[in-house]
Amino acid sequence: QVQLVESGGGLVQAGGSLRLSCAASGSIFSINTMGWFRQIAGKQRELVAVIPRSGSPNYRDSVKGRFTISRDNALNKVYLQMNSLKPEDTAVYYCYLNSQGLVYWGKGTLVTVSS
């Protein structure tokens, strides 16, 4: 069993910043990719940013230049620094982990950006 626990969501004004954290625990053998997805009300879950164990991260176009993903392989943690937040970034953000082809999700943390 693998557990992902997110933290750092909340309410922020447009233009503000938030930092999301996700800690992975449990029977983790080899983590390939970690990252963040989000789900806006009434829409499908979408990729925000993912980062491989080694290599360059990948971002959705709308967050490039504003969001930065990073990870700590020793601690099995992934972070998402979100700057210049916009109301359209309002969503539930889910932590994602891929370990040897198995995908795990956190329960999500709500980010609300007010205009």
Side-chain angles (χ1 to χ4, degrees):
Q1 281 287 54
V2 174
Q3 295 82 41
L4 300 177
V5 178
E6 303 106 333
S7 61
L11 173 64
V12 65
Q13 288 189 330
S17 298
L18 283 174
R19 186 180 190 234
L20 305 183
S21 299
C22 173
S25 62
S27 301
I28 302 170
F29 297 102
S30 177
I31 300 175
N32 301 116
T33 301
M34 298 187 77
W36 296 91
F37 284 66
R38 68 187 182 189
Q39 188 161 19
I40 299 169
K43 296 187 178 181
Q44 289 189 332
R45 193 171 296 187
E46 61 187 25
L47 181 148
V48 177
V50 291
I51 183 169
R53 185 171 186 84
S54 60
S56 299
N58 184 39
Y59 298 92
R60 73 178 300 104
D61 287 345
S62 62
V63 308
K64 287 179 180 177
R66 300 188 297 123
F67 292 9
T68 303
I69 189 171
S70 59
R71 64 187 281 179
D72 186 325
N73 291 331
L75 297 178
N76 292 330
K77 288 187 174 182
V78 64
Y79 308 94
L80 186 68
Q81 178 66 43
M82 304 185 294
N83 299 328
S84 301
L85 282 160
K86 303 176 180 180
E88 51 264 43
D89 294 318
T90 294
V92 177
Y93 284 71
Y94 295 91
C95 183
Y96 161 93
L97 181 154
N98 182 314
S99 174
Q100 298 181 312
L102 297 176
V103 174
Y104 301 91
W105 297 96
K107 293 183 178 181
T109 184
L110 177 62
V111 172
T112 304
V113 184
S114 63
S115 56

